C-alpha cells in the first residue's frame, strides 16, 4: 500500500472535502467513498525514546487517540514513548460492544506476533 498512490490520493481527497466551503453532505459522501469499505483506521506513532519535560515537569506517559473517519467503526493507535508501547482503541459501541474483550483479542494477536518474531530470531 505504501508504494501505491492510494495514500496520497486519500490524503488529497480528505484535504479537499474538508475545506470550509464544501457542504457537509458532499464531504460525508466523499469520505464514505474514499474509505473503500475499511473497517478500522490504524495509526502508528513513533514517539521520543526518552521522557519529555513540560514546564519542568516530567511527562510520564503519552496516549494516542484516533477518532475514526465517518463510516469506519474502529480506530487503533500504536504509539511508543520512553522505550514503551501504548495501544489505544476507540470503537463504535454497535461494532465493539465489549471494549475490554476486543482489546484482549488485539493483545492476544500481538503476543502471537511477538512469539513468531522470537522464533525467527
Amino acid at each position: 500500500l505504501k508504494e501505491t498512490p492510494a495514500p496520497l490520493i486519500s490524503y488529497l481527497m480528505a484535504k479537499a472535502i474538508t475545506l470550509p466551503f464544501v457542504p457537509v453532505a458532499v464531504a460525508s459522501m466523499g469520505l464514505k467513498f474514499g474509505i473503500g469499505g475499511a473497517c478500522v483506521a490504524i495509526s502508528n506513532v513513533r514517539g521520543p525514546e526518552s521522557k519529555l519535560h513540560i514546564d519542568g515537569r516530567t511527562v510520564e506517559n503519552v496516549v494516542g487517540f484516533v477518532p475514526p473517519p465517518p463510516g469506519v467503526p474502529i480506530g487503533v493507535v500504536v504509539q511508543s514513548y520512553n522505550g514503551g508501547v501504548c495501544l489505544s482503541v476507540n470503537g463504535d459501541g454497535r461494532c465493539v460492544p465489549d471494549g475490554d474483550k476486543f482489546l484482549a483479542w488485539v493483545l492476544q494477536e500481538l503476543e502471537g506476533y511477538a512469539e513468531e518474531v522470537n522464533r525467527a530470531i
Side-chain angles (χ1 to χ4, degrees):
L1 180 65
K2 289 186 177 184
E3 295 177 10
T4 70
L8 177 61
I9 292 169
S10 295
Y11 171 77
L12 293 174
M13 278 181 53
K15 290 298 280 183
I17 62 177
T18 56
L19 293 172
F21 56 82
V22 176
V24 173
V26 173
S28 181
M29 185 174 63
L31 283 171
K32 287 181 182 176
F33 171 75
I35 64 170
C39 60
V40 63
I42 301 174
S43 177
N44 61 317
V45 180
R46 183 177 180 172
E49 296 180 12
S50 59
K51 288 186 178 182
L52 298 176
H53 296 83
I54 298 175
D55 197 25
R57 295 182 159 193
T58 303
V59 177
E60 295 295 334
N61 197 9
V62 177
V63 178
F65 175 78
V66 61
V72 179
I74 302 168
V76 177
V77 176
V78 180
Q79 178 178 343
S80 66
Y81 177 71
N82 189 35
V85 176
C86 176
L87 180 69
S88 172
V89 178
N90 178 22
D92 183 326
R94 294 171 293 181
C95 296
V96 184
D98 187 339
D100 291 335
K101 184 181 265 187
F102 181 81
L103 186 55
W105 290 336
V106 172
L107 293 174
Q108 182 180 6
E109 286 298 313
L110 288 174
E111 288 170 3
Y113 293 141
E115 289 172 9
E116 289 293 324
V117 168
N118 288 333
R119 277 198 289 269
I121 294 178

